[in-house]
Short mmCIF file of all heavy atoms in Angstrom, two decimals:
data_model
loop_
_atom_site.label_atom_id
_atom_site.label_comp_id
_atom_site.label_asym_id
_atom_site.label_seq_id
_atom_site.Cartn_x
_atom_site.Cartn_y
_atom_site.Cartn_z
N LYS A 1 4.65 -8.41 -7.34
CA LYS A 1 4.71 -7.10 -6.67
C LYS A 1 3.81 -6.14 -7.43
O LYS A 1 3.90 -6.05 -8.65
CB LYS A 1 6.14 -6.56 -6.65
CG LYS A 1 7.10 -7.41 -5.86
CD LYS A 1 8.51 -6.89 -5.99
CE LYS A 1 9.20 -7.73 -7.04
NZ LYS A 1 10.61 -7.56 -7.11
N TYR A 2 2.95 -5.43 -6.71
CA TYR A 2 2.10 -4.43 -7.33
C TYR A 2 2.59 -3.05 -6.91
O TYR A 2 3.55 -2.93 -6.15
CB TYR A 2 0.64 -4.68 -6.96
CG TYR A 2 0.20 -6.07 -7.38
CD1 TYR A 2 -0.11 -7.04 -6.44
CD2 TYR A 2 0.16 -6.44 -8.72
CE1 TYR A 2 -0.49 -8.32 -6.82
CE2 TYR A 2 -0.21 -7.72 -9.12
CZ TYR A 2 -0.53 -8.65 -8.16
OH TYR A 2 -0.88 -9.92 -8.54
N ASP A 3 1.97 -2.02 -7.42
CA ASP A 3 2.43 -0.65 -7.19
C ASP A 3 2.82 -0.40 -5.74
O ASP A 3 2.19 -0.87 -4.81
CB ASP A 3 1.34 0.35 -7.57
CG ASP A 3 1.10 0.39 -9.06
OD1 ASP A 3 2.00 -0.01 -9.83
OD2 ASP A 3 0.00 0.79 -9.47
N ASN A 4 3.88 0.39 -5.60
CA ASN A 4 4.34 0.83 -4.28
C ASN A 4 3.76 2.22 -4.02
O ASN A 4 3.94 3.12 -4.83
CB ASN A 4 5.88 0.88 -4.27
CG ASN A 4 6.42 1.08 -2.88
OD1 ASN A 4 6.00 0.41 -1.94
ND2 ASN A 4 7.37 1.98 -2.75
N ALA A 5 3.03 2.36 -2.93
CA ALA A 5 2.47 3.67 -2.56
C ALA A 5 3.36 4.28 -1.48
O ALA A 5 3.80 3.58 -0.57
CB ALA A 5 1.05 3.49 -2.03
N THR A 6 3.63 5.56 -1.61
CA THR A 6 4.40 6.26 -0.59
C THR A 6 3.43 7.06 0.26
O THR A 6 2.75 7.96 -0.23
CB THR A 6 5.44 7.20 -1.24
OG1 THR A 6 6.30 6.41 -2.07
CG2 THR A 6 6.26 7.91 -0.18
N PHE A 7 3.35 6.70 1.54
CA PHE A 7 2.47 7.37 2.49
C PHE A 7 3.24 8.46 3.21
O PHE A 7 4.26 8.20 3.84
CB PHE A 7 1.93 6.38 3.51
CG PHE A 7 0.92 5.38 2.97
CD1 PHE A 7 0.54 5.36 1.65
CD2 PHE A 7 0.34 4.47 3.83
CE1 PHE A 7 -0.40 4.45 1.17
CE2 PHE A 7 -0.59 3.55 3.37
CZ PHE A 7 -0.96 3.54 2.04
N THR A 8 2.75 9.71 3.10
CA THR A 8 3.38 10.84 3.79
C THR A 8 2.39 11.59 4.69
O THR A 8 2.76 12.10 5.73
CB THR A 8 3.99 11.83 2.78
OG1 THR A 8 2.97 12.26 1.88
CG2 THR A 8 5.14 11.20 2.00
N ASN A 9 1.13 11.67 4.27
CA ASN A 9 0.14 12.45 5.01
C ASN A 9 -0.07 11.94 6.43
O ASN A 9 -0.35 12.71 7.35
CB ASN A 9 -1.19 12.48 4.26
CG ASN A 9 -2.13 13.53 4.82
OD1 ASN A 9 -1.75 14.68 4.99
ND2 ASN A 9 -3.33 13.13 5.14
N CYS A 10 0.09 10.63 6.64
CA CYS A 10 -0.16 10.05 7.97
C CYS A 10 0.84 10.57 9.01
O CYS A 10 0.63 10.38 10.21
CB CYS A 10 -0.13 8.53 7.92
SG CYS A 10 1.44 7.80 7.40
N PHE A 11 1.90 11.25 8.58
CA PHE A 11 2.87 11.82 9.52
C PHE A 11 2.40 13.18 10.04
O PHE A 11 3.02 13.76 10.92
CB PHE A 11 4.25 11.94 8.86
CG PHE A 11 4.89 10.59 8.66
CD1 PHE A 11 4.73 9.90 7.47
CD2 PHE A 11 5.62 9.98 9.67
CE1 PHE A 11 5.30 8.65 7.28
CE2 PHE A 11 6.19 8.73 9.50
CZ PHE A 11 6.03 8.07 8.30
N ASN A 12 1.31 13.72 9.47
CA ASN A 12 0.71 14.97 9.96
C ASN A 12 -0.26 14.63 11.08
O ASN A 12 -1.19 13.86 10.88
CB ASN A 12 -0.02 15.71 8.82
CG ASN A 12 0.92 16.12 7.72
OD1 ASN A 12 2.03 16.55 7.98
ND2 ASN A 12 0.48 15.97 6.48
N SER A 13 -0.07 15.17 12.20
CA SER A 13 -0.84 14.93 13.43
C SER A 13 -2.23 14.33 13.21
O SER A 13 -3.18 15.02 12.87
CB SER A 13 -0.96 16.24 14.20
OG SER A 13 -1.63 16.03 15.41
N GLY A 14 -2.36 13.02 13.41
CA GLY A 14 -3.65 12.34 13.34
C GLY A 14 -4.22 12.14 11.95
O GLY A 14 -5.35 11.67 11.81
N ALA A 15 -3.45 12.46 10.92
CA ALA A 15 -3.95 12.36 9.54
C ALA A 15 -3.81 10.93 9.00
O ALA A 15 -3.12 10.10 9.58
CB ALA A 15 -3.22 13.35 8.64
N THR A 16 -4.46 10.69 7.87
CA THR A 16 -4.47 9.37 7.25
C THR A 16 -3.89 9.43 5.84
O THR A 16 -4.16 10.36 5.09
CB THR A 16 -5.92 8.83 7.18
OG1 THR A 16 -6.43 8.72 8.51
CG2 THR A 16 -5.99 7.48 6.50
N SER A 17 -3.11 8.42 5.49
CA SER A 17 -2.65 8.20 4.11
C SER A 17 -3.36 6.98 3.57
O SER A 17 -3.60 6.02 4.30
CB SER A 17 -1.14 7.94 4.09
OG SER A 17 -0.41 9.09 4.46
N THR A 18 -3.70 7.03 2.28
CA THR A 18 -4.47 5.96 1.66
C THR A 18 -3.82 5.51 0.37
O THR A 18 -3.41 6.34 -0.44
CB THR A 18 -5.91 6.43 1.37
OG1 THR A 18 -6.50 6.87 2.59
CG2 THR A 18 -6.74 5.33 0.76
N GLY A 19 -3.74 4.19 0.18
CA GLY A 19 -3.27 3.62 -1.07
C GLY A 19 -4.36 2.75 -1.66
O GLY A 19 -5.06 2.05 -0.90
N ASN A 20 -4.54 2.81 -2.98
CA ASN A 20 -5.57 2.02 -3.66
C ASN A 20 -4.93 1.17 -4.75
O ASN A 20 -4.11 1.67 -5.53
CB ASN A 20 -6.62 2.93 -4.30
CG ASN A 20 -7.38 3.73 -3.27
OD1 ASN A 20 -8.05 3.16 -2.42
ND2 ASN A 20 -7.27 5.04 -3.32
N TRP A 21 -5.30 -0.11 -4.80
CA TRP A 21 -4.81 -1.02 -5.80
C TRP A 21 -5.99 -1.64 -6.54
O TRP A 21 -6.98 -2.03 -5.92
CB TRP A 21 -3.97 -2.13 -5.15
CG TRP A 21 -2.65 -1.65 -4.64
CD1 TRP A 21 -1.45 -1.73 -5.29
CD2 TRP A 21 -2.37 -1.02 -3.39
NE1 TRP A 21 -0.45 -1.18 -4.52
CE2 TRP A 21 -0.99 -0.74 -3.34
CE3 TRP A 21 -3.16 -0.66 -2.29
CZ2 TRP A 21 -0.38 -0.13 -2.25
CZ3 TRP A 21 -2.55 -0.03 -1.20
CH2 TRP A 21 -1.19 0.22 -1.19
N ASP A 22 -5.88 -1.75 -7.86
CA ASP A 22 -6.93 -2.34 -8.68
C ASP A 22 -7.03 -3.84 -8.42
O ASP A 22 -6.14 -4.44 -7.81
CB ASP A 22 -6.65 -2.11 -10.17
CG ASP A 22 -6.77 -0.64 -10.56
OD1 ASP A 22 -7.51 0.09 -9.88
OD2 ASP A 22 -6.12 -0.25 -11.54
N ASP A 23 -8.08 -4.45 -8.94
CA ASP A 23 -8.31 -5.88 -8.79
C ASP A 23 -7.19 -6.68 -9.45
O ASP A 23 -6.84 -6.44 -10.61
CB ASP A 23 -9.66 -6.23 -9.44
CG ASP A 23 -10.01 -7.70 -9.33
OD1 ASP A 23 -9.32 -8.44 -8.60
OD2 ASP A 23 -10.98 -8.11 -9.97
N HIS A 24 -6.60 -7.60 -8.70
CA HIS A 24 -5.57 -8.49 -9.24
C HIS A 24 -6.01 -9.95 -9.13
O HIS A 24 -5.18 -10.84 -9.07
CB HIS A 24 -4.24 -8.27 -8.51
CG HIS A 24 -3.65 -6.92 -8.76
ND1 HIS A 24 -3.11 -6.55 -9.97
CD2 HIS A 24 -3.54 -5.84 -7.97
CE1 HIS A 24 -2.69 -5.29 -9.91
NE2 HIS A 24 -2.94 -4.84 -8.70
N GLY A 25 -7.33 -10.16 -9.04
CA GLY A 25 -7.86 -11.52 -8.97
C GLY A 25 -7.94 -12.04 -7.55
O GLY A 25 -7.47 -11.41 -6.61
N SER A 26 -8.52 -13.22 -7.43
CA SER A 26 -8.66 -13.80 -6.10
C SER A 26 -7.33 -14.41 -5.65
O SER A 26 -6.48 -14.74 -6.47
CB SER A 26 -9.75 -14.86 -6.10
OG SER A 26 -9.40 -15.91 -6.97
N GLY A 27 -7.16 -14.51 -4.34
CA GLY A 27 -5.94 -15.09 -3.79
C GLY A 27 -5.65 -14.54 -2.41
O GLY A 27 -6.45 -13.81 -1.83
N ASP A 28 -4.50 -14.92 -1.88
CA ASP A 28 -4.04 -14.42 -0.58
C ASP A 28 -3.10 -13.25 -0.82
O ASP A 28 -2.16 -13.35 -1.63
CB ASP A 28 -3.33 -15.52 0.20
CG ASP A 28 -4.28 -16.64 0.62
OD1 ASP A 28 -5.48 -16.37 0.74
OD2 ASP A 28 -3.80 -17.77 0.84
N TYR A 29 -3.33 -12.17 -0.08
CA TYR A 29 -2.55 -10.95 -0.26
C TYR A 29 -1.92 -10.52 1.06
O TYR A 29 -2.33 -10.96 2.14
CB TYR A 29 -3.45 -9.82 -0.77
CG TYR A 29 -3.86 -10.00 -2.21
CD1 TYR A 29 -4.99 -10.73 -2.54
CD2 TYR A 29 -3.12 -9.42 -3.23
CE1 TYR A 29 -5.36 -10.91 -3.86
CE2 TYR A 29 -3.48 -9.59 -4.55
CZ TYR A 29 -4.60 -10.34 -4.86
OH TYR A 29 -4.96 -10.51 -6.16
N TYR A 30 -0.92 -9.65 0.95
CA TYR A 30 -0.30 -9.02 2.11
C TYR A 30 0.36 -7.75 1.62
O TYR A 30 0.48 -7.52 0.42
CB TYR A 30 0.71 -9.95 2.79
CG TYR A 30 1.90 -10.36 1.93
CD1 TYR A 30 3.15 -9.75 2.10
CD2 TYR A 30 1.80 -11.37 0.98
CE1 TYR A 30 4.24 -10.13 1.34
CE2 TYR A 30 2.87 -11.75 0.22
CZ TYR A 30 4.11 -11.13 0.39
OH TYR A 30 5.19 -11.51 -0.37
N PHE A 31 0.77 -6.88 2.55
CA PHE A 31 1.55 -5.72 2.14
C PHE A 31 2.90 -5.76 2.81
O PHE A 31 3.10 -6.42 3.85
CB PHE A 31 0.81 -4.39 2.41
CG PHE A 31 0.60 -4.06 3.87
CD1 PHE A 31 1.60 -3.47 4.62
CD2 PHE A 31 -0.62 -4.33 4.48
CE1 PHE A 31 1.40 -3.15 5.96
CE2 PHE A 31 -0.84 -4.01 5.81
CZ PHE A 31 0.18 -3.43 6.55
N VAL A 32 3.86 -5.09 2.19
CA VAL A 32 5.22 -5.02 2.71
C VAL A 32 5.56 -3.56 2.95
O VAL A 32 5.27 -2.69 2.11
CB VAL A 32 6.23 -5.64 1.71
CG1 VAL A 32 7.64 -5.59 2.27
CG2 VAL A 32 5.84 -7.07 1.37
N VAL A 33 6.16 -3.28 4.09
CA VAL A 33 6.57 -1.92 4.45
C VAL A 33 7.99 -1.68 3.95
O VAL A 33 8.90 -2.49 4.20
CB VAL A 33 6.51 -1.72 5.98
CG1 VAL A 33 7.10 -0.38 6.39
CG2 VAL A 33 5.07 -1.85 6.47
N ASP A 34 8.18 -0.58 3.21
CA ASP A 34 9.50 -0.16 2.72
C ASP A 34 10.24 -1.30 2.03
O ASP A 34 11.42 -1.56 2.30
CB ASP A 34 10.34 0.41 3.86
CG ASP A 34 9.78 1.70 4.41
OD1 ASP A 34 9.28 2.52 3.62
OD2 ASP A 34 9.82 1.88 5.64
N TYR A 35 9.56 -1.98 1.10
CA TYR A 35 10.14 -3.13 0.41
C TYR A 35 11.45 -2.77 -0.29
O TYR A 35 11.50 -1.85 -1.12
CB TYR A 35 9.14 -3.69 -0.61
CG TYR A 35 9.71 -4.84 -1.40
CD1 TYR A 35 9.82 -6.10 -0.83
CD2 TYR A 35 10.15 -4.67 -2.70
CE1 TYR A 35 10.35 -7.16 -1.53
CE2 TYR A 35 10.68 -5.72 -3.42
CZ TYR A 35 10.79 -6.97 -2.83
OH TYR A 35 11.32 -8.01 -3.52
#
């Protein structure tokens, strides 16, 4: 499990929230909502 980002800005009419994660090497990745 890597850092959990909390997205709030995307709830403002048409706005975008962004999360950035550093390199954790090659492999298969996915994200989980409200883990």
Side-chain angles (χ1 to χ4, degrees):
K1 296 175 261 191
Y2 302 113
D3 292 338
N4 190 47
T6 302
F7 289 1
T8 57
N9 193 51
C10 62
F11 289 93
N12 297 320
S13 183
T16 299
S17 293
T18 302
N20 296 299
W21 288 264
D22 292 334
D23 180 10
H24 294 289
S26 63
D28 292 335
Y29 288 88
Y30 63 101
F31 66 83
V32 181
V33 172
D34 294 321
Y35 177 76

